[in-house]
């Protein structure tokens, strides 16, 4: 008989299987950008599997709670079983419910009154936006799936006929989930019957009993809790790409401590379950932080989560909250593994800055401390706050372009930088108002199109009130509005100011001409405009403009709520939009060629100085924070060599602390040498396992599109 | 007061403890053939031409009042002897093909750069390092900078090759928290051959420094074929082991400077040298450890 596999052996097998699946996905969907986002745990389905949603409309589509609930239930009831016998957790996802649904909006709900301005400023307006808020997993662990069902039944009785459809839809979702769990429990048993390896057989039987238990009660053990979370994450990502995984070291802690005390769990086994959970899907988990009263919340599980990510060594999206009173050991361990594993994980959140910032919206500190980092760049209160995080964007470049053209084509007044600025502010203000009106519109109608049936279950209010979260189900509505392309526009203003106004090296006419012609035959002028002291140097005109833009944008977003009185929170972030935002706009005065991408997040443009040192980047990004609790992340590339020594790790730790002492909110670190990235860029298929931290998430380099790969390469090579 | 600076590097993490800013002062009294910063040797400004960046816009030719450039057979030729180093062509070369190596800066201007990273020095126990060239060749300017740093609570380090009169050290000694003192080899003749000077003055200065109870890190560049033999290293160990120094740092030679020499049009004799391997470095480190010397291998 073969020797029993150790937990690490099993994790190694699981990673191998994942790599095979990843290569399979790269093969089926092409290496060229099948997945310009988080490396989701999606598994390619068997070819025999098909799913066709049912329609109650003449056009063959479906909208609203009833049909969405029915269809999702139907999907879950037909979804193939996936069990990896090496893992302690059952389940895998093969289908994207929302993604396949088209159209995404019911065209009878008309918002053409906003179209003109939305198009003029190329706004990503969030109408029809999904998820991007945070759920309360702790509540789910307390209730269990059967408890959720009871809760639905209980509140249904308190409401009238008008809510029947909503409750039926929520019930359908839970019934679908229970069916899928039931089928997995049964399948695990069947697999166990034919399994010859004793330890694996035992694992499958345990898996079956854990899942049978979850059908009838809330989880009690650590293993059951991990399986419960795994299911929730799977159902939610399948439903509409939800990636919010919550404070994992908080909600799993009671289970861990109880099991350890009772002697039914070892540390090693806990790490194993956690690692299996990380494989299920690359959800956004946060760890660390403080209790409501400000005491450090680091605990044994905080360490174990980091350990688990280290053992499994796949892309994960874990974020460690950093603050002065924290247990430093966990920060040092996180940095050590960041360098050792080269998976770009974890990211680091400036706890104090986001807490203090959120308070500025008028909330008490105790509440602010509960906001969890569960998205690419964002935080939200678990289950109590609707946010539209990361899906509402204003491209500063689009607005600037309108202003620039308005001034330069005005034959009656002579142009000046201040006139462009004034025009920029005027248009930015209209853009913000348009966004605000659009978000109100979204909140009025979204529940009729595609309600959050999955995430409602773990929120406080929707089930109680019979209202979708997008329709007033929860307590707090703090809507995220991000500005994008800060560096591109700051440097454009600065270039004109320096070269045209101060030094008078070129005339306004010449500027207009070269920009109109995309610098054709004027490379010299393009370089002249590009090689100014750009944003990032700290005391340059570029920095002045970057701060001015951030302050003005913040002011405009904060000066009034949406027309219907909802609070908005400004931030600076763009990743997925950097390419499309750039594509629409011609050349800009920072020397950017027509249709090239805008700058990433709040980062200075690569090559802003000789060497683009990390300290300069950190200071620059810290200096442009909007300051209301949403982030303006810093994306940094470090030479992997720095972390090779203990001394180097200490330096990085102190660097992280400095960033947050200066007011930084979020830090994503990528470790890759220029040589390696250039090699991989030549032929990505030779590097299927190379992981890069793209922004708030990590991904396989080979799975990104050519354009996105180019962006990552530019950052590393020019920076 | 002004000095001549050739570079200021932020996030410098191998020139003393913590996160530092390194200020490179121009001019050196040695001429080591393996020098990484050839532009630091000459104490005057120099025009650097990075030909592959040139986009042929012709600005430089047009602006130079001293006929510093001429087109010969469709190729641009630079006449060093005619050039007054006024910098006009550099400011109009937007492709950065022309760069001025060396810049006059006031104490306050340098301080502005240094102050940018104060938070990082504080959190990492870092500070500022003055390097070169040989920073002590501008000892009065250096003194002002160090004084200012100390008065603002910034940790100061000076990276020196030691080949200056001890009087220069006396100017700065009270304002320097740490010396990074470079030693190359003990053999007098060899030293003269490879660096252009004997090492007597250097050794005497080092002894005096430690007598004055200054904190000193000794830095030894390990250069294959030049000072990496057991014999050379043993001699260094013999000399160092009786000195009360804090640390010896062994720095592997990196072949980096070649292309830089090209752009300055000075011959570079070591183009083919290889970087010592990690194993070699560790082995040399062992010899130091055996003599009870606190050693760090980079
Ligand atoms: S100014 Fe610069 S780019 Fe233009 S010709 Fe002279 S060296 Fe070349
Ligand atoms: S530095 Fe001045 S003198 Fe020398 S080549 Fe350039 S413009 Fe002419």
């Amino acid at each position: 008989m073969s020797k029993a596999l150790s937990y690490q052996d099993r994790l190694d097998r699981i990673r191998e299987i994942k790599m095979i699946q990843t290569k399979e996905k790269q093969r089926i969907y092409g290496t060229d950008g099948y997945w310009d986002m988080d490396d989701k745990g999606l598994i390619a389905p068997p070819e025999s599997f098909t799913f066709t949603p049912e329609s109650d409309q003449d056009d063959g589509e479906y909208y609203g709670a009833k049909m969405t609930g029915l269809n999702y239930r139907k999907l879950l009831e037909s979804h193939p079983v996936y069990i990896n016998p090496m893992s302690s957790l059952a389940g895998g996802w093969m289908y994207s419910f929302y993604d396949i649904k088209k159209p995404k909006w019911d065209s009878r709900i008309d918002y053409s009154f906003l179209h003109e301005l939305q198009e003029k400023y190329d706004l990503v307006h969030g109408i029809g936006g999904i998820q991007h808020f945070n759920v309360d997993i702790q509540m789910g662990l307390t209730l269990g799936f059967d408890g959720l069902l009871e809760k639905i039944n209980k509140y249904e009785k308190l409401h009238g006929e008008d809510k029947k459809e909503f409750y039926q839809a929520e019930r359908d979702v839970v019934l679908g989930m229970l069916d899928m769990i039931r089928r997995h429990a049964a399948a695990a048993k069947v697999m166990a019957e034919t399994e010859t390896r004793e330890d694996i057989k035992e694992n499958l039987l345990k898996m079956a009993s854990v899942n049978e238990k979850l059908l009838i009660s809330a989880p009690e053990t650590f293993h059951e809790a991990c399986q419960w979370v795994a299911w929730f994450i799977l159902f939610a990502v399948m439903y509409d790409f939800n990636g919010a995984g919550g404070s994992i070291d908080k909600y799993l802690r009671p289970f861990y401590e109880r099991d350890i005390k009772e002697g039914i769990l070892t540390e090693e086994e806990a790490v194993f379950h956690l690692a299996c959970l990380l494989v299920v899907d690359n959800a956004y988990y946060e760890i660390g932080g403080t209790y409501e009263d400000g005491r450090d919340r680091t605990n044994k599980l905080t360490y174990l989560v980091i350990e688990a990510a280290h053992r499994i060594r796949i892309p994960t999206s874990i974020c460690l909250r950093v603050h002065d009173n924290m247990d430093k050991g966990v920060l040092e361990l996180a940095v050590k593994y960041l360098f050792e594993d080269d998976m770009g994980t974890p990211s680091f959140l400036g706890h104090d800055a986001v807490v203090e910032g959120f308070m500025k919206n008028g909330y008490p500190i105790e509440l602010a401390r509960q906001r969890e980092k569960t998205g690419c760049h964002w935080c939200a209160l678990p289950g109590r706050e609707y946010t539209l995080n990361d899906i509402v964007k204003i491209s500063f470049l689009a607005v600037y372009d309108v202003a620039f053209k308005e001034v330069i084509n005005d034959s009656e007044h002579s142009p000046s930088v201040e006139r462009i600025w004034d025009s920029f502010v005027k248009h930015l203000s209209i853009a913000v108002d348009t966004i605000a009106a659009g978000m109100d519109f979204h909140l009025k109608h979204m529940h009729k199109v595609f309600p959050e049936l999955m995430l409602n279950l773990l929120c406080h209010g929707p089930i109680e009130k019979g209202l979708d979260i997008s329709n007033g189900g929860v307590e707090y509505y703090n809507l995220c509005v991000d500005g994008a392309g800060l560096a591109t526009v700051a440097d454009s203003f600065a270039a004109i100011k320096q070269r045209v106004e101060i030094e008078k090296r070129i005339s306004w006419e010449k500027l207009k001409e070269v920009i109109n012609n995309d610098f054709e035959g004027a490379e010299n002028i393009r370089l002249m405009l590009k090689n100014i002291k750009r944003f990032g140097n700290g005391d340059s005109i570029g920095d002045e403009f970057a701060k001015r833009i951030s302050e003005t944008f913040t002011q405009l977003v904060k000066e009034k709520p949406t027309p219907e009185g909802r609070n908005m929170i400004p931030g600076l972030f763009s990743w997925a939009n950097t390419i499309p935002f750039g594509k629409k706009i011609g050349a800009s005065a920072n020397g950017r060629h027509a249709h090239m991408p805008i700058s990433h997040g709040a980062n200075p443009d690569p090559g802003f100085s000789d060497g683009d040192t990390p300290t300069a980047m950190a200071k620059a990004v810290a200096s442009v924070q909007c300051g209301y609790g949403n982030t303006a992340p810093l994306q940094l590339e470090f030479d992997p060599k720095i972390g090779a020594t203990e001394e180097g790790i200490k330096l990085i730790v102190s660097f992280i602390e400095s960033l947050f002492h200066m007011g930084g909110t979020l830090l994503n670190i990528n470790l890759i040498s220029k040589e390696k990235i250039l090699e991989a860029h030549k032929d990505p298929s030779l590097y299927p396992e190379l992981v890069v931290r793209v922004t708030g998430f990590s991904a396989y380099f080979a799975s990104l599109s050519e354009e996105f790969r180019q962006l990552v390469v530019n950052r590393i090579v020019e920076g | 007061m002004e000095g001549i600076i050739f570079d200021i590097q932020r996030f410098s993490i191998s020139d003393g403890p913590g996160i530092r800013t390194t200020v490179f002062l121009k001019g050196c009294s040695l001429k080591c053939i393996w020098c990484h910063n050839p532009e630091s040797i000459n104490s005057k400004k120099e025009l650097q031409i990075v030909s592959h960046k040139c986009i042929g816009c012709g600005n430089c030719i047009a602006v130079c009042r001293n006929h510093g450039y001429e087109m010969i057979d469709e190729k641009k030729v630079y006449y060093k002897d005619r050039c007054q180093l006024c910098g006009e062509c550099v400011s109009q070369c937007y492709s950065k093909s022309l760069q001025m190596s060396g810049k006059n800066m006031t104490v306050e201007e340098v301080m502005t750069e240094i102050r940018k990273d104060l938070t990082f020095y504080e959190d990492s126990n870092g500070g500022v390092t003055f390097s070169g060239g040989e920073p002590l060749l501008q000892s009065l300017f250096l003194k002002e900078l160090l004084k200012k740093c100390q008065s603002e609570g910034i940790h100061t380090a000076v990276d020196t090759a030691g080949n200056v009169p001890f009087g220069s050290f006396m100017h700065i000694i009270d304002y320097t928290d740490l010396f990074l003192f470079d030693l190359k080899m003990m053999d007098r003749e060899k030293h003269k051959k490879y660096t252009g000077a004997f090492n007597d003055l250097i050794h005497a200065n080092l002894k005096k420094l430690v007598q004055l109870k200054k904190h000193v890190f000794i830095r030894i560049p390990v250069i294959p074929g030049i000072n990496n033999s057991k014999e050379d290293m043993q001699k260094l160990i013999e000399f160092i082991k009786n000195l009360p120094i804090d640390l010896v740092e062994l720095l592997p030679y990196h072949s980096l400077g070649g292309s830089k020499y090209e752009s300055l049009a000075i011959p570079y004799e070591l183009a083919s040298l290889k970087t010592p391997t990690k194993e070699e470095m560790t082995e040399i480190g062992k010899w130091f450890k055996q003599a009870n010397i606190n050693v760090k291998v980079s």
Side-chain angles (χ1 to χ4, degrees), chain A residues 499 505 524 527-528 531 537 539 613-616 618-619 638 642 647 651 654-655 657-658 661-662, chain B residues 9-11 13 17-19 55 57 59 91-92 94-96 112-113 115-117 119-120 123-124 296:
Chain A
R499 296 309 196 193
R505 295 207 183 185
N524 191 33
L527 290 173
M528 176 211 281
N531 292 327
N537 284 282
D539 45 11
T613 56
T615 54
K619 275 201 82 167
F638 271 118
I642 298 176
E647 233 182 324
L651 281 182
S654 77
F655 174 88
E657 289 172 325
S658 294
H661 286 154
M662 295 184 305
Chain B
Q9 237 173 52
R10 293 164 70 181
F11 195 68
I13 52 172
I19 295 176
I55 55 165
C57 68
N59 282 5
S91 91
Q92 303 246 358
Y94 304 119
S95 70
K96 298 189 180 169
T112 304
E113 283 303 306
R115 286 187 198 114
K116 283 181 176 172
D117 283 350
T119 314
F120 296 97
D123 289 333
S124 70
K296 187 180 130 192

Side-chain angles (χ1 to χ4, degrees), chain B residues 64 66 68-69 78 83-89 100:
Chain B
C64 181
N66 304 302
Y69 303 97
Y78 166 60
C83 173
Q84 305 291 315
L85 297 169
C86 71
E88 195 48 39
C89 59
M100 195 59 84

Side-chain angles (χ1 to χ4, degrees), chain A residues 87-331:
Chain A
S87 172
S88 60
L89 306 177
W93 67 286
M94 305 178 175
Y95 192 84
S96 237
F97 184 59
Y98 175 80
D99 203 32
I100 303 297
K101 175 183 163 51
K102 47 177 113 159
K104 308 284 191 231
W105 191 256
D106 181 347
S107 59
R108 291 164 297 189
I109 306 171
D110 175 44
Y111 59 95
S112 56
F113 65 103
L114 291 169
H115 279 178
E116 190 191 324
L117 290 173
Q118 285 173 342
E119 258 156 53
K120 178 170 181 184
Y121 302 118
D122 194 15
L123 299 175
V124 174
H125 49 63
I127 296 176
I130 40 159
Q131 41 101 4
H132 292 94
F133 54 88
N134 189 11
V135 288
D136 185 356
I137 291 185
Q138 195 155 359
M139 174 170 85
L141 289 168
T142 311
L143 291 176
F145 292 110
D146 62 317
L148 289 172
L149 204 54
E150 269 170 41
K151 187 175 170 187
I152 293 168
N153 295 338
K154 173 180 157 194
Y155 282 99
E156 184 180 25
K157 292 200 189 92
L158 302 178
H159 290 276
E161 268 312 302
D162 58 321
K163 306 277 189 203
K164 274 267 174 299
E165 270 192 10
F166 175 79
Y167 284 108
Q168 183 53 42
E170 293 290 0
R171 191 163 32 237
D172 278 335
V173 168
V174 180
L175 290 173
M177 298 197 285
L178 288 169
D179 182 79
M180 187 148 155
I181 297 171
R182 191 174 300 117
R183 287 186 294 119
H184 277 76
K189 263 192 189 156
V190 172
M191 283 170 76
E193 275 165 26
T194 52
E195 177 59 59
T196 52
R197 296 163 294 186
E198 268 315 307
D199 52 335
I200 303 301
K201 184 183 194 113
E202 202 183 303
N203 178 54
L204 288 164
L205 289 172
K206 183 83 192 293
M207 186 190 283
S209 76
V210 162
N211 279 285
E212 279 165 357
K213 168 89 170 282
L214 295 185
L215 290 169
I216 50 164
S217 90
E220 276 175 276
T221 65
F222 187 75
H223 186 175
E224 288 161 11
C226 286
Q227 177 71 72
W228 197 95
V229 176
W231 280 124
F232 183 79
I233 295 284
L234 282 167
F235 295 137
V237 69
M238 251 196 286
Y239 184 75
D240 64 354
F241 280 129
N242 168 71
S247 284
I248 189 170
D249 62 338
K250 179 174 157 189
Y251 57 67
L252 286 180
R253 183 177 175 180
F255 296 94
Y256 174 76
E257 287 177 350
R258 196 203 72 141
D259 285 10
I260 289 284
K261 209 165 138 209
E262 292 195 356
I264 55 170
L265 180 74
T266 62
E267 210 178 291
E268 189 65 13
E269 187 187 347
V271 168
F272 177 69
H273 293 315
L274 288 168
C276 290
L277 180 55
L278 293 173
V279 178
V280 156
D281 196 63
N282 184 2
Y284 290 91
Y285 297 107
E286 73 152 29
I287 50 174
T290 68
Y291 294 101
E292 285 166 49
D293 62 9
R295 278 174 305 129
D296 181 26
R297 219 187 59 199
T298 312
N299 62 75
K300 186 76 199 174
L301 262 186
T302 320
Y303 281 90
L304 297 191
V305 172
I306 294 180
E307 188 64 33
H310 168 64
R311 298 283 183 87
I312 189 69
R313 233 179 142 253
I314 56 169
T316 54
S317 300
I318 297 164
C319 178
L320 175 64
R321 300 182 79 104
V322 177
H323 57 97
D324 276 344
N325 303 324
M326 78 188 292
D327 170 355
K328 269 276 195 60
V330 75
L331 180 56

